[in-house]
Amino acid sequence: MKIGFVFDDHMHRIGGIQVYIRGLYHYFESLGHEVVIFAGGSQFDNAKLAERIIPLGVSLPTYGSGSNTSLPICLESNRRLRELLEAENCDILHIQTLHSPTMGGRILANSKACHISTFHNRVDEPWKLQALRMVKYILPDFFRHVHGRIAGSQAAKETAQAIFGKQDEYTVIASGINLERFEDAANLPRLHQYDDDKITLFTLGRLEQRKGVEYLLRAYALLQKDYPNQLRLVIAGDGPLREELQTLAKQLNLSNVEWLGYVTDLALPHLMASADIFCAPAIGQESFGYVIVEAMALGLPVVAAANAGYAGVLVNHPGNLAVPPRDPRAMAGAIASFIASPAARKKIGQANRQQAKNYSWQVIGDQIMEFYKKTLAQTVQ
């Protein structure tokens, strides 16, 4: 089978959808399938990436779903797109939705392949949902050429049906992780700088408003009063709010806070595995929760804000704790319950490691391949 992924963003940026595409790309390739990615980012050197990418437009930076993204401007003619698609001759085109009319929509309109859509986004604001409904009505043809629909989570499914209508059926299939690298890290000794008597809290994410690090800092301030000099907060990630958040930390007189900035994929698993509790304070716009599943694979108990995406993951993994978003006191209380019980941390961590196996690319990839085959068989009938 030949599979083409269609992605309006580019593959040089770190993001959840890029992780999703790469994970499936390499898993399907390992099974002997031919795989290609149609994406934006023609201004970048795609030869440096490990995947075969056909760039179809310059990517313009923009902002969407509470995070940075990009929009491709594809100037290829429809005739040229049809020639390219015929030459590639994919059995499946797997488009990442929401897709734009500037590239993704045009590819579907000119393709004769079987089209699979995965809807990844969670939109919480009513006005944004209404705006997306208007786009659907203004440009209906760009959203019609789909034969099978996947939602990356129940939270994403709810958003998809709010935009496109409940008449469309979605199969919920979670995203996967590279389980082996996290399992290997979980078996390593702690990094020496964290091998002491302090309880290490760890959070990971871009330092932007929707990730809610402000509320974790305020929760940490409350915890410091009860556990003076007994805790450490490690913050991995960078972003536009870093300076503002560091100023807040000083105002709150926080101690033992480490700002790691960007952490490479190679270094991240061992860093996380050296922590005691994983904290995920994102306030909204989360459709899944890669960081939660990664923390589970490392054997960490999780305290997370109960946005729709995180809550949808944790409901299947009891013992981990979800608290109301933007509530530092509730988050501090949940973290304190783990601080007070090393036995609970160990028990939940062991359960998390076992349950994280359900998110390996082998498990997720096989589910998606089965969906491909089923949809393809129905399409050719």
Side-chain angles (χ1 to χ4, degrees), residues 219-253:
Y220 186 68
L222 296 172
L223 290 164
Q224 276 197 159
K225 296 176 182 179
D226 295 326
Y227 301 95
N229 205 37
Q230 297 176 51
L231 306 177
R232 174 191 294 114
L233 175 59
V234 179
I235 301 171
D238 211 338
L241 294 187
R242 177 168 179 163
E243 185 175 337
E244 181 179 326
L245 291 169
Q246 288 177 326
T247 299
L248 175 61
K250 291 179 181 178
Q251 292 172 347
L252 294 171
N253 295 315

Side-chain angles (χ1 to χ4, degrees), residues 120-297:
H120 295 275
N121 303 72
R122 173 69 183 190
V123 178
D124 293 316
E125 298 96 329
W127 70 268
K128 285 187 179 179
L129 288 172
Q130 185 59 37
L132 290 168
R133 290 189 196 102
M134 292 301 296
V135 172
K136 177 192 69 173
Y137 289 120
I138 294 170
L139 301 167
D141 286 345
F142 293 112
F143 298 99
R144 286 178 181 162
H145 303 277
V146 176
H147 303 106
R149 294 172 172 83
I150 298 170
S153 65
Q154 181 61 33
K157 177 180 177 179
E158 291 169 1
T159 295
Q161 291 185 323
I163 295 170
F164 300 109
K166 293 187 177 181
Q167 73 279 0
D168 292 333
E169 294 185 6
Y170 291 83
T171 298
V172 176
I173 303 176
S175 295
I177 63 169
N178 185 343
L179 188 64
E180 290 76 15
R181 72 188 189 103
F182 290 97
E183 288 184 328
D184 291 344
N187 294 320
L188 294 174
R190 279 176 177 255
L191 292 169
H192 68 89
Q193 63 265 40
Y194 304 128
D195 191 13
D196 55 23
D197 294 333
K198 287 186 172 63
I199 300 294
T200 298
L201 315 180
F202 193 97
T203 192
L204 167 68
R206 184 169 168 76
L207 300 183
E208 57 193 10
Q209 185 178 12
R210 76 183 179 101
K211 292 301 183 180
V213 175
E214 170 193 346
Y215 304 100
L216 177 57
L217 292 175
R218 296 186 184 280
Y220 186 68
L222 296 172
L223 290 164
Q224 276 197 159
K225 296 176 182 179
D226 295 326
Y227 301 95
N229 205 37
Q230 297 176 51
L231 306 177
R232 174 191 294 114
L233 175 59
V234 179
I235 301 171
D238 211 338
L241 294 187
R242 177 168 179 163
E243 185 175 337
E244 181 179 326
L245 291 169
Q246 288 177 326
T247 299
L248 175 61
K250 291 179 181 178
Q251 292 172 347
L252 294 171
N253 295 315
L254 302 184
S255 60
N256 299 320
V257 179
E258 297 184 14
W259 303 83
L260 299 184
Y262 171 72
V263 177
T264 65
D265 285 347
L266 184 63
L268 179 62
H270 198 184
L271 271 169
M272 288 178 66
S274 299
D276 297 287
I277 303 167
F278 186 79
C279 305
I283 60 177
Q285 311 294 343
E286 298 287 346
S287 64
F288 181 55
Y290 273 109
V291 292
I292 289 176
V293 176
E294 290 170 351
M296 289 173 54

Side-chain angles (χ1 to χ4, degrees), residues 4-8 38 56 74 77-78 81-82 84-86 90-119 139-149 164:
F5 290 97
V6 182
F7 185 36
D8 284 80
F38 302 91
L56 287 172
C74 177
S77 68
N78 286 337
L81 288 177
R82 286 193 294 271
L84 175 63
L85 292 167
E86 288 173 4
C90 293
D91 301 292
I92 297 284
L93 278 185
H94 187 165
I95 189 164
Q96 314 310 305
T97 304
L98 292 161
H99 60 271
S100 78
T102 61
M103 194 192 83
R106 293 185 62 209
I107 288 177
L108 294 194
N110 285 283
S111 164
K112 296 179 181 179
C114 175
H115 300 153
I116 305 295
S117 164
T118 291
F119 193 94
L139 301 167
D141 286 345
F142 293 112
F143 298 99
R144 286 178 181 162
H145 303 277
V146 176
H147 303 106
R149 294 172 172 83
F164 300 109

